[in-house]
Amino acid sequence: MSWPPRRILVGTDFSSASRAAARAAAGLARRTGAEIDLVHAFRGGTELVTGYEPLDALLLRAPDPARARAHIEAELAALAAELAPLAVKSHVVQGPPAAEILALRERLEVDLVALGSVGLRGLRRFLLGSVADRVLRRPGCPLLLIRDANPAGELKTIVVAQEYPDRATPWLELALRIAHAERSELVVLHVLPRAGYASDAHHVDLEPQKTPEK
């Protein structure tokens, strides 16, 4: 991906975290001239799931697909209105959210995917899993996870996880560009492995006792 982005895809389940992702993406779009695409994915039929909130209802009864789609379209229209005056395109797709986001990412040739960072627990985690985790497992354009965003969408702090602390990566270079453009604080994170962890030649933990020094 080159900076600035030309097109940003925002996955939403209408939760507070996904709305924060939309605000952050809109803030970037206003400052860079990028286009915004909103997408919500649902599963049809007797196993229809839309976002997180209807999951509790799903345990009791299956929602009506036509009624659910109409509700989704209304929610997307309301969210797009909140991002005005940006021209926002909305997409309602059917299928597993991660797979549909990945497919749309390739079809639209987006430069950045933005998702809300949600900590699911218990039954919700078991049934839904982590959409962000599944998107991360399929390399492509960068994924921006947003935990919170103010109304203007400024990025105050950016955290980049670095697997290799001794070399630059495209993601680190991109984060540096974003941080410079947004005047954000940049935090680079590398997690040390536990003592005795069996690794390969690319990691710094071949000698666990010396890992802190390296």
Side-chain angles (χ1 to χ4, degrees), residues 3 23-24 30 34 42 46 53 81 96 122 133 143 147 151 153 171 180 182 190 199 210 212:
W3 183 260
R23 290 198 304 272
R30 292 188 188 99
F42 70 95
T46 57
E53 182 178 354
D133 180 64
L143 173 62
R147 188 180 67 178
W171 317 125
H180 178 74
E182 295 288 305
H190 175 76
S199 183
K210 296 183 180 180

Side-chain angles (χ1 to χ4, degrees), residues 19-33:
R19 290 181 182 278
R23 290 198 304 272
L28 281 175
R30 292 188 188 99
R31 295 186 286 276
T32 62

Side-chain angles (χ1 to χ4, degrees), residues 80-108:
E82 293 178 15
L83 306 183
L86 289 174
V88 178
K89 296 180 180 179
S90 299
H91 307 267
V92 179
V93 294
Q94 184 173 331
E100 294 301 324
I101 288 172
L102 287 168
L104 202 57
R105 181 188 74 178
E106 301 305 317
R107 181 161 64 86
L108 298 178

Side-chain angles (χ1 to χ4, degrees), residues 109-120:
E109 298 182 343
V110 301
D111 297 301
L112 184 68
V113 175
L115 297 175
S117 176
V118 180
L120 296 180

Side-chain angles (χ1 to χ4, degrees), residues 64-77:
D64 175 63
R67 190 174 180 181
R69 179 179 283 274
H71 175 71
I72 292 167
E73 292 174 348
E75 289 284 345
L76 282 174

Side-chain angles (χ1 to χ4, degrees), residues 1 4 7 29 47-48 71 113 130 137 142 152 161 168 177 190 199 208:
M1 168 193 164
R7 199 162 192 174
E47 296 182 353
L48 182 144
H71 175 71
V113 175
S130 170
R137 292 175 187 273
R177 291 183 182 181
H190 175 76
S199 183

Side-chain angles (χ1 to χ4, degrees), residues 30-50:
R30 292 188 188 99
R31 295 186 286 276
T32 62
E35 298 180 6
I36 293 287
D37 287 87
L38 292 175
V39 57
H40 179 88
F42 70 95
R43 297 176 182 176
T46 57
E47 296 182 353
L48 182 144
V49 178
T50 61

